[in-house]
Amino acid sequence: MNTQLKQIYSAEKVQRFELLFLFHDKEMKGFISSKDLPFILRAAGLLISDKEINDLQVKEKISKDDLFKLLIQLKDKRPVKQEIEASVKVFDEQNTGFIDTKELMGIVQQIGDEQVEKDFQLILNSVKGKENQVSIDSLVNLLMKE
């Protein structure tokens, strides 16, 4: 299982997956709760909504092998830098290299996914520049961070 995962993700990322699993294996029995799955998948860098996670129909308790199988299955949910740049630049109408944070937050709120909104607020707090502006480069680099 690890070999397949390492063909898709870097060794560092696989190690991070293992640490995420251990952190969420609160009873130390080799299982995590399906309730932790949204956080884990997003922390793994996957762009996935709560609805898509619910559609996975996973068991209540998930083993490390099952998590790794999910990460392999969801490999196409990894962001591609050019796609993120193109998506973000749409909001830079003046071609300044910055985006208004209020406008971005309004769009995220329209998605209607509470967890996405919370995650996005954390992202904004870490890349916010002057006068409620976000640097496109900083935002893209943060979203692409391995």
Side-chain angles (χ1 to χ4, degrees):
M1 184 59 57
N2 246 350
T3 307
Q4 279 184 293
L5 207 59
K6 287 180 180 176
Q7 291 174 348
I8 299 168
Y9 299 97
S10 68
E12 180 184 313
K13 194 109 177 179
V14 172
Q15 184 178 20
R16 194 176 317 159
F17 298 156
E18 290 175 345
L19 290 172
L20 275 167
F21 183 88
L22 288 174
F23 178 78
H24 288 278
D25 182 10
K26 294 173 178 65
E27 296 176 7
M28 303 298 281
K29 293 185 177 180
F31 293 94
I32 58 170
S33 168
S34 61
K35 293 176 184 174
D36 294 325
L37 199 56
F39 175 82
I40 292 171
L41 293 178
R42 290 182 183 121
L46 302 177
L47 298 176
I48 188 165
S49 70
D50 284 344
K51 182 188 178 324
E52 290 171 309
I53 292 170
N54 290 336
D55 289 347
L56 294 172
Q57 299 178 343
V58 295
K59 301 175 204 167
E60 178 70 28
K61 294 191 179 253
I62 301 167
S63 71
K64 186 163 63 169
D65 279 347
D66 288 340
L67 175 64
F68 286 179
K69 286 176 188 173
L70 272 176
L71 291 168
I72 291 167
Q73 174 187 338
L74 298 170
K75 69 182 184 287
D76 294 333
K77 293 289 183 183
R78 293 178 299 158
V80 176
K81 187 171 186 172
Q82 293 81 0
E83 292 173 354
I84 291 177
E85 283 177 340
S87 299
V88 171
K89 285 183 179 181
V90 167
F91 303 104
D92 182 16
E93 295 174 358
Q94 305 299 319
N95 204 23
T96 62
F98 291 89
I99 305 171
D100 182 76
T101 57
K102 290 179 185 175
E103 182 180 359
L104 280 178
M105 202 55 200
I107 292 163
V108 170
Q109 288 170 340
Q110 287 178 359
I111 294 171
D113 189 322
E114 190 175 313
Q115 187 61 47
V116 170
E117 190 175 329
K118 288 177 186 175
D119 292 345
F120 196 74
Q121 188 60 52
L122 290 171
I123 290 169
L124 283 181
N125 289 340
S126 62
V127 295
K128 194 184 298 185
K130 57 184 179 181
E131 300 178 25
N132 292 322
Q133 297 282 307
V134 173
S135 161
I136 290 175
D137 290 338
S138 296
L139 181 59
V140 169
N141 288 336
L142 181 69
L143 293 172
M144 288 302 302
K145 200 172 192 177
E146 281 266 338

